[in-house]
Amino acid sequence: MKFNLEEIPFSTRGSYMVFSKLGKKFQGEEIQEGIYFRNVHGSAVSSLVARIVPQKNGQEIPYQYEASPQEVKIYDDEHCCRITWQDEKTVLLEGDLPFYFDFLAEGSSYTFAQPWKVGNRDFYLVNCFRGNSRYMIRSQKGSLQLKQKWREGNAEYSYLYVNGDAPYMLVLEENFEDWKDRGEDYDYTYAAQKQKQKFEEFYALMPSVPDKYQDAAEISAYVDWTGMVSPCGLLKREAMFMSKNWMCNVWSWDHCFNALALAYHCPKEAWDQFMVLFDFQKESGNIPDSVNDTKVIHNYCKPPIHGWTLRKLMKVMDLSVEQLKEAYEKLGRWTSWWLNYRDENGDGLCEYSHGNDSGWDNATAFDHLPPVTLPDLAAFLVLQMDVLSEVAEKLNEQADAKMWKNRANEMLNNMLDVLFENGQPVARAGFDMHKVENESLILYLPIVLGKRLPEGTRKELIQTLESDKFQTSYGLATESWHSKEYESDGYWRGPIWAPSTMLILDGLKECGEDTFVKDMTEKFCQLVQKSGCAENFNALTGEGLRDRAYTWTASVMLVMAHEYL
């Protein structure tokens, strides 16, 4: 398998280090084009550590590259440098292509390289303050030369040259906390073979998909595999970032879709993904918007799809009593938080205090000042309380089971009375609950309740979803493509997204709409086959948009292709 390094970073499971081919701008910063060594720890002001610059006689030269799960090759007509992973904290670079590391010291504070010695072994310690990271670089074979101008505690420039006069082998180790020389020499070929084997073993554990989508499945598996980071700092368990491009966090609904992709054959990893946000649950029951190894963001939250997720996990995993108890306690507190803290007018329906809380940040349903009351939130809570009732039954908590079922029924009735007009879902804003005119797909997410909805309501929702209001040649647009508010790259105002697609198709599947579900799943798999694991897609052209290596897109493709095809 080959992939585009301009879209998908080269990394390995567990690592916070990546290599990317970047253009002239990255995260709003003007940069030189090239292949960059990057750091995705959450403490980094900038993820850029160094640019790899192929050179001859000190002058940068043209080059090509090729990326696969086991290695990146950088080459010209005569020479080549290959990069692979010894382990999640150790990179190996082997070849005869002369190059230098530009550690981007110019204009930054406290970035420099210094000689370091352990016994008779020579290293360079690279201190990258903007990246809050340090690295040890050693030449196992060949020579290194530092060209650096030191001035008042900082390097004005810092270049580490790798001579290509003879074959070289470099070892680059992360020194994020404590580092000790392991005193080892490494075999590049063996390390690359092990990387290939590790990825293939992971890929074999992913959900099976139709043969025609094997290319999409393989790239999806790679995005998920490399998206995982080891416990570090605030993260106490292995976690899957949404991407190692720039969305280097775990958001509190994205993780649910990633848990589902792992559930079939990786139960421990699946449970870790499902529970990772609950490690940060407050006493009130709230779980944060997002986390990484150094930051917890509480400004927003995300929708309570965790009951929906738990129900799906229970279908494919054998959960222990201890796991059910853990999920029940945490899910109950999360549900109670919504009921206690997000029903400001006391009408029995919860509100979003910002579009970000819904996950649909800028959807047209939020065109009026919050609070905004939407039927999707009510539907998620109904489903979540239904699941809490089911789990309470399993745990022989009969009173709790009855209580959650009663509360679910009350909310369902409130949703149908207040958030539907003439069978169609509506958005309401403010404490006066005035109607917000919009043509957002978010209003139709209550189909996730399936046959829990009255037959007439189901039929109205199905009729709209299967019309051309949202449906395009590539899937379901998040804003009607007939709407004057539709934007081709408008985030939640038009593009096709993985989570909205899966939530809606899951509900339609329960309603018996098998033909439509299969057709939409085929379209989504074709999108990934064509445009990769993009954050979202142009609804009318299928072009991949925004972050191009997004794990929930990968996970949704794998799960839907397995479940629905």
Side-chain angles (χ1 to χ4, degrees):
M1 181 187 85
K2 301 291 188 289
F3 61 88
N4 185 351
L5 199 60
E6 296 178 38
E7 297 179 354
I8 300 173
F10 177 61
S11 188
T12 191
R13 178 175 177 172
S15 185
Y16 289 83
M17 300 186 289
V18 301
F19 293 84
S20 300
K21 175 69 164 61
L22 303 179
K24 294 181 179 180
K25 183 173 283 190
F26 181 71
Q27 293 181 296
E29 184 179 353
E30 297 288 340
I31 61 172
Q32 290 180 277
E33 291 186 60
I35 293 177
Y36 282 80
F37 171 54
R38 299 174 45 240
N39 153 43
V40 297
H41 284 293
S43 54
V45 175
S46 171
S47 73
L48 304 181
V49 176
R51 186 167 72 104
I52 295 176
V53 187
Q55 58 88 24
K56 186 174 183 179
N57 299 323
Q59 298 298 312
E60 186 170 351
I61 59 173
Y63 63 90
Q64 297 175 280
Y65 75 87
E66 184 179 281
S68 64
Q70 64 269 24
E71 67 179 1
V72 167
K73 297 179 183 178
I74 307 171
Y75 59 93
D76 63 9
D77 293 338
E78 301 177 75
H79 306 286
C80 179
C81 172
R82 300 189 299 158
I83 307 172
T84 195
W85 303 88
Q86 173 65 28
D87 55 54
E88 66 186 60
K89 293 188 176 183
T90 310
V91 178
L92 307 181
L93 302 94
E94 178 190 75
D96 60 1
L97 176 73
F99 74 91
Y100 64 89
F101 291 105
D102 176 358
F103 290 111
L104 312 175
E106 184 179 357
S108 67
S109 300
Y110 313 124
T111 293
F112 61 93
Q114 72 178 85
W116 194 275
K117 203 170 189 66
V118 180
N120 64 351
R121 288 157 67 91
D122 295 314
F123 298 80
Y124 283 99
L125 167 63
V126 178
N127 197 321
C128 177
F129 185 71
R130 289 181 72 203
N132 193 22
S133 55
R134 309 196 317 169
Y135 304 92
M136 284 295 192
I137 302 178
R138 177 173 71 89
S139 178
Q140 181 174 305
K141 182 170 65 176
S143 62
L144 293 172
Q145 181 183 7
L146 178 63
K147 293 186 178 180
Q148 177 173 266
K149 184 176 181 181
W150 176 259
R151 182 178 176 83
E152 297 182 9
N154 189 60
E156 291 188 10
Y157 58 82
S158 182
Y159 308 131
L160 191 60
Y161 279 77
V162 183
N163 296 322
D165 300 334
Y168 55 77
M169 163 79 150
L170 307 183
V171 181
L172 186 158
E173 299 178 74
E174 185 180 48
N175 183 2
F176 185 62
E177 293 169 338
D178 299 320
W179 175 86
K180 186 176 182 180
D181 181 22
R182 288 171 279 186
E184 295 183 28
D185 285 339
Y186 301 108
D187 183 325
Y188 181 95
T189 301
Y190 177 75
Q193 289 173 345
K194 288 294 290 183
Q195 281 300 298
K196 186 173 186 292
Q197 179 184 341
K198 287 177 182 178
F199 169 64
E200 288 174 348
E201 289 172 352
F202 180 84
Y203 179 36
L205 295 173
M206 290 297 96
S208 57
V209 306
D211 288 344
K212 62 183 175 180
Y213 296 126
Q214 287 302 319
D215 289 347
E218 193 172 15
I219 204 71
S220 295
Y222 180 75
V223 167
D224 277 0
W225 182 64
T226 57
M228 299 172 86
V229 294
S230 291
C232 179
L234 298 175
L235 294 173
K236 303 307 179 187
R237 61 179 91 209
E238 187 177 45
M240 191 184 294
F241 279 173
M242 297 311 102
S243 173
K244 285 183 179 175
N245 276 326
W246 50 83
M247 304 293 279
C248 306
N249 287 23
V250 186
W251 273 268
S252 56
W253 68 319
D254 309 44
H255 71 111
C256 292
F257 300 96
N258 291 335
L260 293 175
L262 296 166
Y264 301 90
H265 305 297
C266 303
K268 180 187 182 303
E269 288 89 341
W271 192 248
D272 279 343
Q273 296 320 302
F274 181 62
M275 297 304 298
V276 65
L277 264 297
F278 288 103
D279 289 344
F280 302 89
Q281 188 170 30
K282 288 186 173 181
E283 187 175 342
S284 65
N286 172 251
I287 58 177
D289 183 46
S290 67
V291 300
N292 58 39
D293 58 315
T294 64
K295 295 178 184 177
V296 181
I297 305 298
H298 278 289
N299 295 66
Y300 307 103
C301 62
K302 286 293 177 279
I305 66 165
H306 303 80
W308 172 83
T309 307
L310 182 61
R311 177 180 281 175
K312 294 186 76 65
L313 290 175
M314 289 191 295
K315 290 180 180 178
V316 296
M317 291 173 61
D318 293 322
L319 297 182
S320 66
V321 171
E322 289 72 22
Q323 286 175 314
L324 288 175
K325 286 181 177 178
E326 182 182 22
Y328 180 71
E329 188 270 336
K330 293 182 181 299
L331 203 62
R333 288 169 55 208
W334 173 224
T335 307
S336 294
W337 178 82
W338 282 96
L339 300 174
N340 293 334
Y341 295 96
R342 286 297 175 88
D343 180 10
E344 295 183 43
N345 59 3
D347 66 350
L349 292 169
C350 297
E351 308 100 3
Y352 289 127
S353 65
H354 191 277
N356 289 358
D357 291 347
S358 73
W360 294 54
D361 308 7
N362 67 331
T364 53
F366 298 97
D367 276 354
H368 293 193
L369 181 68
V372 175
T373 309
L374 297 182
D376 73 302
L377 177 53
F380 292 145
L381 288 169
V382 169
L383 198 157
Q384 193 150 290
M385 290 187 280
D386 281 347
V387 173
L388 283 166
S389 180
E390 293 170 21
V391 176
E393 288 272 5
K394 292 177 183 288
L395 297 175
N396 201 30
E397 300 285 351
Q398 302 302 329
D400 277 12
K402 184 177 180 181
M403 179 269 292
W404 286 120
K405 181 59 71 175
N406 287 340
R407 297 190 82 167
N409 290 337
E410 290 172 8
M411 183 163 285
L412 177 62
N413 290 333
N414 277 342
M415 179 188 79
L416 294 169
D417 288 344
V418 177
L419 298 176
F420 280 77
E421 283 186 359
N422 303 316
Q424 290 296 311
V426 296
R428 299 194 181 279
F431 296 125
D432 62 352
M433 298 288 279
H434 63 272
K435 186 175 176 180
V436 180
E437 297 292 344
N438 72 97
E439 295 187 72
S440 175
L441 183 66
I442 195 173
L443 297 182
Y444 295 84
L445 285 177
I447 196 64
V448 75
L449 289 169
K451 293 183 180 178
R452 188 80 157 83
L453 292 169
E455 184 177 0
T457 304
R458 286 204 312 270
K459 286 183 176 179
E460 290 281 356
L461 293 176
I462 291 169
Q463 183 176 350
T464 301
L465 288 167
E466 296 186 5
S467 71
D468 73 344
K469 181 179 178 70
F470 299 104
Q471 190 179 168
T472 75
S473 300
Y474 295 95
L476 295 171
T478 46
E479 175 78 10
S480 172
W481 57 282
H482 305 287
S483 165
K484 63 179 177 21
E485 303 294 337
Y486 174 85
E487 298 177 35
S488 60
D489 186 11
Y491 222 50
W492 292 95
R493 292 179 173 239
I496 294 166
W497 286 75
S500 54
T501 300
M502 185 174 180
L503 287 163
I504 286 170
L505 294 189
D506 191 63
L508 289 171
K509 178 74 172 175
E510 187 179 331
C511 293
E513 299 298 304
D514 292 355
T515 300
F516 183 78
V517 168
K518 182 176 180 180
D519 180 49
M520 288 295 105
T521 303
E522 294 272 9
K523 288 180 177 180
F524 190 81
C525 292
Q526 289 163 13
L527 262 185
V528 175
Q529 193 100 319
K530 170 187 175 180
S531 301
C533 299
E535 187 177 356
N536 52 63
F537 303 88
N538 185 311
L540 300 180
T541 68
E543 175 193 0
L545 303 172
R546 307 296 175 111
D547 195 314
R548 301 298 295 275
Y550 217 71
T551 54
W552 74 0
T553 304
S555 294
V556 163
M557 181 271 157
L558 291 166
V559 173
M560 293 203 311
H562 180 76
E563 292 284 342
Y564 306 148
L565 301 183

